[in-house]
Amino acid sequence: MQDAPPAAGSSTAPAENAVALADVAVPVPLPRALTYLVPDKLAASVAPGRRVLCTIGSRRIVGVVVGLRQGEAPPKAKPLLGVLEGVDLPEDLVTFLSRLANYYLAPIGEVVRLALPPTDRETARAVEEPTLFSTAKGVAARKVQWVIAEGAVETSIKENASRVLSVVRAHGALPLSRLQDQFGGARGTIKRLVEQGLVRVEEREAPRDPFFADKLERDVPPEATEAQQEAAATINAALEARGSGATLLVHGVTGSGKTEVYLRAIARAKEQKRGSIMLVPEIALTPQLVGRFRARFGDDVAVLHSALTQRERFDMWNRLRSGEVDVAIGARSALFAPVKDLGLVIVDEEHDPSFKQEEGVRYNARDMAILRAHQVGGVCLLGSATPSLESEQLARSGKATKIVLPDRARAQEMPKVEIIDLRRIGPGPTGDRRISVLLHRAIEATLAAKEQTILFLNRRGFAPSIRCEGCGELSSCPHCTVALTFHRRGASTAEGRMRCHWCEYEASMPLHCPKCNSDQIALEGLGTERLEETLKEAFPEARIARLDRDVASGKQVEKILDKVRAREVDILVGTQMVTKGHDLPHVTLVGVINADAALSIPDFRAPERAFQLLVQVAGRAGRGDSPGKVLVQTYDPEHHAIVHAVRHDVMGFFDRELRDRKELGYPPFSRMVFARVDAMDEKEALDAAAMLARAARAATRDGAGALEVLGPSPAPIAKVRNRFRFRVMLRSTSRERLRQGALAIHVAIGSLPRTVRASIDVDPVGAL
Ligand code: ADP
Ligand code: ZN
Ligand code: ZN
């Protein structure tokens, strides 16, 4: 990605009759920016990142300037009507957005929208009247007073005032209430500091943000372990270099102190007066994590999360833009935070698939983090206990520097992991073979010791399939080619319902098979809901909680985890929501109900995903003082993903999996592009996909890195919401060749009928 060519039009040799032109990203799904004439009276104020008023046809719209140049005016080019004050995007961000759009062949207008503050996105979408931020909702927020350091030089001030002043200066700005907490009678002192021009007081929106609800206690950074010191030295050297950018891969087991390493890196960037962005998977953005950042850096941390109101988001955006706040933390979209003088971009849990956006602009925030950091001569820090094979290969090929944190920071032992071979070990007292006798006994022992258990099962619902025992027919969704899942307690009814996990379809269980009329309908398989119920029967005295998308989203997740932390729960049952970086110190037993499930997905990345899930969930055990134990149930105990996960042997897994990928020509040894096509009419979808495949083939040439074009073929889930899905896969070892094919498809998509939807997915992640 680093060498993605810059967007077209950023520099052109001036022609004879050259005039000033602006390339403007407009909020319509056009592949490229539109070119407008820059009238003389606007010449001084038009700049990349500025919002401008322009016309498309007879509509007035607001666009963002992405490039300025001198050139021959295109025929029918119209002049810009005006430049809007207020929000503008920093120039480095505009360059980044242009490169991103170019790399993913995504419409620049949609890409720019990713970076505009929320209120402004609406303005940009529907301006008749370009009043700024008139759409901001919920503005009637509580105000608080902030104390802001001013430039004046102090002459003689009292000792107390001098202490207050130094704290304010250290932070740049602080809420008055915080100073009052810290220094009794600060109000009078501040009044005098204001009179001397040393600080000023300003009313600001109170953060109604749940992450900032609690009072803040500053922490004392722990003394770094030897490995952390080495990591810091490498990171600091990279930050000092300020060259063309560096990528560092922090590979450290869970609990090895990676977060502490990030905190130090951010502190160093701050010393250099540079800002930082830290991306985390949405689910890892917990009050616990944010608390650690606040404890280190105070409130000068912008936490960009989905629960913010538009006004709060806008406020955060402005504070970052002005440099008043220089650290942004958030899920993948925080990649577009307008951090001033950016120097560091961190991607925690960089292997997590949630960094890939799967709708709209299909970008991968992890890959783009590297691009964004390098573009500003900064450092990209990727961290994980189980790095992606892409990142590992970057390190092996010398494009990234690897930093290893081999041990847990607090000298706890790694949990013992044991395999339970379900082919040989029978069921426990529940009679359900998916709760083997060994797992059952281990749960009993953990309960007796008053410790906690996590059971991981990656299927939600009660039973993943419903089958007629008369004819063998599976109940499937009438709108999608997927089996229906049985949920005992639905959101809408207390009755059991069959539900589709791909659309909203829901139905009650049939009394008779629609095909053979048999009344023998069986619930097959085990979902988290059923597991919870079975355990409640087997361990009536135990307090059991469940964590999956059916019971928890957003803040509820944290509520359930708080209960676990408060030891109000003995057994936590859940989907991959339980595998993420939560620090649950009293969990000593982790059971993986079915390690094979993740391996059965038709995707070349299935072993990698399975391995990551197993290592991550195993890392939940023994985070406190008691050593942990992990039991992995499987029918396939020799599978390399399972064998290496059990031994905590990440390097062994890498060696084996990279060898397989190389042999089969999969990423990271090749690059892929999917063209995804869907339509209500199956034949129309297939014809369209075939047309795209032909276009790509016509663009191929033989020779090194020759482009492979595979398909069209039906997607693994061939129909979703009544739309038939096909895809064409492009693969090559040459980025250039691949791009030629993708561009050919990009052009061909333009001539598809409107009833067909088609998109290009560069570096696809999921196979479904
Ligand atoms: P990771 O992000 O790799 O999971 P953390 O940074 O969360 O690891 O560290 C795990 C635990 O160890 C945390 O409770 C943290 O406070 C503690 N810790 C980290 N570094 C140190 C250190 N140098 N000395 C003592 N405790 C540490
Ligand atoms: Zn039947
Ligand atoms: Zn469906």
Side-chain angles (χ1 to χ4, degrees):
M1 280 113 272
Q2 301 90 288
D3 41 338
S10 49
S11 72
T12 323
E16 284 282 297
N17 39 4
V19 292
L21 300 173
D23 294 314
V24 179
V26 289
V28 289
L30 288 172
R32 267 188 303 259
L34 297 181
T35 301
Y36 290 87
L37 305 168
V38 182
D40 287 346
K41 65 175 174 12
L42 296 180
S45 52
V46 176
R50 293 312 292 262
R51 296 168 334 125
V52 287
L53 189 62
C54 48
T55 49
I56 294 185
S58 59
R59 263 172 68 215
R60 296 172 109 203
I61 51 147
V62 173
V64 174
V65 177
V66 292
L68 281 178
R69 60 197 161 95
Q70 296 288 319
E72 204 171 315
K76 289 196 223 154
K78 294 182 209 163
L80 293 178
L81 301 180
V83 177
L84 304 185
E85 292 306 314
V87 169
D88 65 336
L89 298 178
E91 191 166 351
D92 67 293
L93 184 53
V94 173
T95 309
F96 170 63
L97 294 168
S98 299
R99 289 191 178 179
L100 186 147
N102 185 54
Y103 183 77
Y104 290 109
L105 302 173
I108 182 70
E110 290 186 18
V111 171
V112 165
R113 260 205 354 231
L114 295 170
L116 287 173
T119 50
D120 209 57
R121 276 182 220 172
E122 282 186 17
T123 322
R125 218 172 294 152
V127 270
E128 293 302 333
E129 192 47 17
T131 346
L132 277 186
F133 320 124
S134 51
T135 50
K137 291 185 195 83
V139 183
R142 192 165 54 89
K143 297 272 186 192
V144 286
Q145 292 192 306
W146 280 64
V147 180
I148 297 132
E150 291 273 77
V153 181
E154 72 264 35
T155 41
S156 69
I157 51 175
K158 292 214 182 94
E159 198 201 319
N160 192 39
S162 151
R163 271 168 45 217
V164 172
L165 183 62
S166 68
V167 170
V168 175
R169 282 192 174 153
H171 287 264
L174 279 175
L176 177 60
S177 59
R178 278 248 306 275
L179 290 167
Q180 282 173 315
D181 289 348
Q182 201 171 339
F183 308 93
R187 197 175 273 275
T189 310
I190 284 160
K191 200 165 161 239
R192 281 188 293 281
L193 290 174
V194 171
E195 283 159 10
Q196 291 172 275
L198 293 165
V199 301
R200 76 191 143 88
V201 175
E202 187 181 288
E203 296 237 301
R204 285 187 187 170
E205 225 52 66
R208 270 172 304 138
D209 188 327
F211 284 125
F212 289 80
D214 298 331
K215 271 242 188 116
L216 171 98
E217 299 258 341
R218 283 307 188 98
D219 74 340
V220 180
E223 187 159 336
T225 62
E226 210 169 297
Q228 282 170 334
Q229 279 174 27
E230 273 177 40
T234 308
I235 294 166
N236 292 347
L239 279 168
E240 301 305 335
R242 286 176 183 261
S244 53
T247 308
L248 308 179
L249 172 60
V250 183
H251 176 193
V253 297
T254 38
S256 60
K258 291 187 292 300
T259 310
E260 185 57 40
V261 168
Y262 306 150
L263 288 165
R264 280 162 201 256
I266 292 170
R268 174 52 68 98
K270 271 175 177 282
E271 284 167 22
Q272 296 185 324
K273 303 266 179 281
R274 291 204 281 180
S276 306
I277 293 176
M278 176 155 128
L279 307 182
V280 298
E282 178 81 45
I283 190 147
L285 192 60
T286 60
Q288 239 190 343
L289 176 81
V290 174
R292 286 177 73 179
F293 278 75
R294 288 184 64 218
R296 193 66 55 87
F297 303 120
D299 285 341
D300 305 342
V301 177
V303 183
L304 307 169
H305 57 91
S306 50
L308 289 180
T309 64
Q310 291 217 345
R311 195 73 187 89
E312 287 164 337
R313 228 169 243 279
F314 182 58
D315 201 41
M316 292 285 191
W317 196 92
N318 276 314
R319 287 192 198 175
L320 289 166
R321 175 76 179 96
S322 68
E324 185 192 311
V325 171
D326 57 5
V327 181
I329 304 180
R332 61 172 180 255
S333 60
L335 176 65
F336 304 105
V339 173
K340 209 174 166 204
D341 300 320
L342 183 68
L344 176 66
V345 184
I346 300 170
V347 186
D348 189 26
E349 314 270 4
E350 62 87 24
H351 64 277
D352 197 283
S354 76
F355 288 118
K356 175 76 194 301
Q357 173 147 308
E358 296 291 6
E359 58 204 27
V361 181
R362 292 170 172 268
Y363 67 94
N364 190 324
R366 184 236 297 152
D367 298 343
M368 290 298 110
I370 298 177
L371 179 67
R372 185 153 188 213
H374 286 208
Q375 187 200 304
V376 293
V379 172
C380 181
L381 206 56
L382 307 172
S384 177
T386 52
S388 63
L389 291 180
E390 279 81 1
S391 299
E392 172 66 13
Q393 188 55 26
L394 276 186
R396 290 190 179 198
S397 63
K399 291 183 185 143
T401 304
K402 191 147 148 183
I403 297 170
V404 181
L405 301 177
D407 306 307
R408 286 188 162 185
R410 290 188 298 190
Q412 303 137 319
E413 277 175 44
M414 291 301 284
K416 285 190 189 57
V417 186
E418 290 164 28
I419 288 184
I420 296 179
D421 183 347
L422 290 180
R423 296 168 310 185
R424 293 177 27 239
I425 309 293
T430 64
D432 189 326
R433 39 181 327 157
R434 290 153 303 198
I435 305 174
S436 68
V437 62
L438 294 181
L439 179 60
H440 194 101
R441 298 280 171 253
I443 297 172
E444 268 175 356
T446 310
L447 285 171
K450 302 239 178 299
E451 290 165 346
Q452 293 171 312
T453 300
I454 286 181
L455 296 176
F456 166 58
L457 172 62
N458 222 3
R459 295 303 287 264
R460 63 196 170 91
F462 190 83
S465 45
I466 302 147
R467 193 188 292 276
C468 165
E469 295 194 321
C471 68
E473 181 86 346
L474 270 180
S475 290
S476 59
C477 176
H479 311 295
C480 313
T481 44
V482 293
L484 293 171
T485 298
F486 182 74
H487 288 252
R488 177 147 284 180
R489 279 178 300 272
S492 47
T493 48
E495 288 286 288
R497 302 278 279 176
M498 308 192 297
R499 274 204 250 155
C500 172
H501 285 180
W502 284 74
C503 72
E504 284 81 47
Y505 180 79
E506 226 188 85
S508 44
M509 282 275 285
L511 297 174
H512 297 277
C513 170
K515 206 169 157 202
C516 74
N517 211 31
S518 156
D519 61 358
Q520 300 292 304
I521 314 268
L523 295 174
E524 283 186 347
L526 181 69
T528 45
E529 201 185 5
R530 186 180 215 167
L531 177 61
E532 182 190 13
E533 217 170 275
T534 308
L535 290 167
K536 277 184 172 155
E537 281 164 27
F539 304 102
E541 74 290 4
R543 295 161 302 172
I544 302 175
R546 172 155 64 96
L547 187 60
D548 60 31
R549 260 204 286 156
D550 294 322
V551 291
S553 66
K555 284 178 206 160
Q556 289 148 310
V557 174
E558 211 43 45
K559 261 192 200 149
I560 293 174
L561 291 169
D562 277 344
K563 277 189 157 180
V564 178
R565 275 181 213 115
R567 307 182 84 158
E568 289 162 25
V569 168
D570 301 308
I571 304 174
L572 179 67
V573 174
T575 55
Q576 54 182 308
M577 280 174 131
V578 303
T579 67
K580 304 294 159 124
H582 321 294
D583 203 345
L584 302 169
H586 304 293
V587 172
T588 54
L589 174 65
V590 167
V592 177
I593 300 296
N594 178 7
D596 312 330
L599 288 169
S600 63
I601 294 167
D603 180 355
F604 72 88
R605 286 194 177 87
E608 182 181 0
R609 282 297 292 145
F611 176 79
Q612 288 164 352
L613 279 173
L614 286 174
V615 174
Q616 299 282 337
V617 75
R620 297 307 113 221
R623 298 269 290 186
D625 298 325
S626 345
K629 176 164 155 174
V630 182
L631 298 177
V632 176
Q633 300 194 131
T634 173
Y635 287 98
D636 194 2
E638 274 95 46
H639 193 285
H640 69 276
I642 294 176
V643 170
H644 287 109
V646 161
R647 294 194 205 129
H648 301 291
D649 183 5
V650 181
M651 295 316 280
F653 176 75
F654 282 154
D655 289 342
R656 165 66 197 268
E657 189 63 21
L658 284 171
R659 205 172 67 218
D660 288 1
R661 296 269 185 100
K662 192 164 193 172
E663 244 171 61
L664 298 170
Y666 278 122
F669 299 100
S670 66
R671 287 169 173 272
M672 292 181 15
V673 167
F674 281 175
R676 299 172 184 274
V677 174
D678 65 69
M680 299 286 265
D681 185 86
E682 186 169 9
K683 180 159 185 312
E684 194 177 36
L686 177 59
D687 287 350
M691 195 273 270
L692 299 186
R694 277 197 304 277
R697 287 197 176 97
T700 59
R701 281 175 289 125
D702 294 338
L707 179 70
E708 268 180 275
V709 182
L710 304 168
S713 50
I717 295 182
K719 185 179 74 171
V720 172
R721 296 172 194 271
N722 295 320
R723 296 184 73 93
F724 291 87
R725 311 158 86 222
F726 289 87
R727 64 184 188 193
V728 178
M729 189 183 106
L730 310 187
R731 183 164 70 168
S732 174
T733 53
S734 151
R735 188 203 299 272
E736 215 20 67
R737 294 291 184 90
L738 188 68
R739 191 168 168 83
Q740 282 159 9
L743 277 168
I745 288 183
H746 185 62
V747 171
I749 284 176
S751 61
L752 289 178
R754 280 182 174 271
T755 43
V756 177
R757 283 195 310 217
S759 61
I760 294 181
D761 193 350
V762 177
D763 304 328
V765 170
L768 300 180

